[in-house]
Amino acid sequence: MTEKVTDLLHFFDEKQFQQDLIAWFKKEQRTLPWRENQDPYRVWVSEIMLQQTRVDTVIPYFERFMNLFPTVEALANADESDVLKAWEGLGYYSRARNLQSAVREVAETYNGIVPNNPKQISELKGVGPYTAGAILSIAYDIPQPAVDGNVMRVLSRIIGIWEDIAKPSARKTFEEVTRRIISDEDPSSFNQGMMELGAIVCTPRSPSCLLCPVQEHCRAFAEGSQEELPIKSKKKAPRPVPIAAIALENNEGKFLIRQRPEKGLLASLWEFPNVELTEGGLKENQLKHHLQDTYEINPKIEKELSSFNHIFSHLKWQLTVYKGSFIGHIDHEKVRTVSKNDLQQYAFPVAHQKIVNLILEGDETD
Ligand code: SF4
């Protein structure tokens, strides 16, 4: 225990805090599908889905995913394309790929049983300190910290920690604080209680302090600094990337799609032909040249269908979507022409799923 953390916790009554938090969590917790039991595989899948994604969005995905892949074996033996299809729309697709390869390792190395040992579980692909702590505590009742941005916000207010939570070094302080105050008797309810408190009471803006079950332990409330905490320096704004994309239909009424490379952003997902635009020059001309050079076709660009942005953590795609046509047929492993109905069998990233929807709704014929 470092001196800094000892100082921070000087007047903190951790036993009373644990009791108040856990009693509140047991009474007020939301009914969520991954809380039905303590199956470590279910906890694992839910925690991976919940990274960067809202609970309401995750619920239907989680239920569908569990129907398709109810066990470690089922997911280990599934085709990657089926897993990506089930993940379609959730974003951050490397999460799905890492989850499947880690689950395969669990099937092969640990006889299908998710390890309950901090070292082994942390070595699985895609399992960082937060996910490891969440699985160990929630599923196996092992008192390990599970510290994500929400828990850092809540703890920084309760304990009065003025460290910049955007800095990777801050996590160590929060983990150390958690190790000191976590309940040894019920670490599962303790960690879930902290997450629940962050989700429904101690929210990023306007925390509901008057309804808070741990208000009397909260330093920020006592000092009136709950709106100033946590300290979080701003990230750089995502870099804008202008892109022209096209729903390109051939003379058989089929659309040209291609599979993205196996590595990098949105790896292995399918997409419509598109090109990153450079400054100067008409968008349509740049797109046409790209199609001629890449697919060796002679396309006709007919009209603009739509334009919208899609934001990643580091990039902002500014898409302009066109409708066009060409004569010919392509059927390679990674570039194909497919019928409208068959488009739905491919996993597209969200931005390109919007183009599928434009096609299916028939907007392109308006
Ligand atoms: Fe958060 Fe307010 Fe509760 Fe403190 S009293 S933990 S700031 S909701």
Side-chain angles (χ1 to χ4, degrees), residues 154 157-158 197 201-202 207-209 212 214-215 218 220-221 226:
V154 176
R157 289 171 176 166
I158 293 173
L197 193 66
V201 178
C202 194
S208 307
C209 298
C212 179
V214 294
Q215 185 206 82
C218 182
F221 180 74
Q226 62 269 36

Side-chain angles (χ1 to χ4, degrees), residues 81-149:
S81 57
D82 293 335
V83 177
L84 289 176
K85 185 69 193 161
W87 206 272
E88 183 184 72
L90 262 185
Y92 301 95
Y93 296 88
S94 56
R95 292 183 299 175
R97 268 187 295 272
N98 288 341
L99 174 64
Q100 192 184 25
S101 67
V103 159
R104 284 181 172 154
E105 194 180 335
V106 168
E108 282 159 22
T109 313
Y110 301 110
N111 212 12
I113 297 167
V114 179
N116 64 358
N117 161 315
K119 183 168 182 304
Q120 288 173 337
I121 201 166
S122 302
E123 283 168 1
L124 295 171
K125 210 167 178 186
V127 177
Y130 168 77
T131 310
I135 299 170
L136 292 169
S137 60
I138 298 172
Y140 289 122
D141 287 311
I142 296 172
Q144 285 283 320
V147 170
D148 66 355

